Amino acid sequence: MTPLSYLLQRSTAMVMAPLIVIHLAVIIWAIQGGLSAEEILLRTRGSLPWGAFYSLFVLAAAIHAGIGVQTVLREWTPLGRRAATGLGHTLIVVLLALGARAVYAVVWA
């Protein structure tokens, strides 16, 4: 793992930790409050703060997962550095695209 990968892996973990806690707390609050999926979407629709929150979440999770998978592939498979890096970067792009689509659907669509 390069120093940059190490730094990104650790910093994205630090960013995700509070985001995960907030996300789970909101889910528990919504479920206990008896909100339906429709009511939740009505509350998130057009909300800049929720859009920013989940966009940051997607960015951090995509980078974190891509670097993690790249590291696992390099350590546990016979793949070379280039192949593992390519697959890790591909995963980052795929997760960013899927996450951006989800944020768009929940906040902007």
Side-chain angles (χ1 to χ4, degrees):
M1 181 180 279
T2 67
L4 178 59
S5 293
Y6 180 85
L7 179 63
L8 285 171
Q9 184 75 11
R10 296 322 183 261
S11 61
T12 55
M14 291 186 329
V15 167
M16 283 192 310
L19 297 178
I20 291 168
V21 170
I22 292 167
H23 176 70
L24 292 174
V26 169
I27 289 172
I28 292 167
W29 171 77
I31 290 171
Q32 288 181 345
L35 292 176
S36 68
E38 183 180 355
E39 291 169 324
I40 292 169
L41 288 175
L42 286 173
R43 292 177 183 210
T44 61
R45 190 78 56 220
S47 172
L48 213 53
W50 283 120
F53 175 85
Y54 281 110
S55 293
L56 179 61
F57 203 148
V58 164
L59 179 64
I63 293 170
H64 189 81
I67 293 170
V69 165
Q70 175 184 336
T71 302
V72 168
L73 288 173
R74 288 184 59 212
E75 292 177 2
W76 289 41
T77 70
L79 289 176
R81 182 183 182 117
R82 286 181 104 176
T85 300
L87 288 171
H89 289 174
T90 300
L91 180 63
I92 291 171
V93 170
V94 168
L95 291 175
L96 284 173
L98 292 173
R101 183 175 179 204
V103 170
Y104 177 79
V106 170
V107 178
W108 307 114

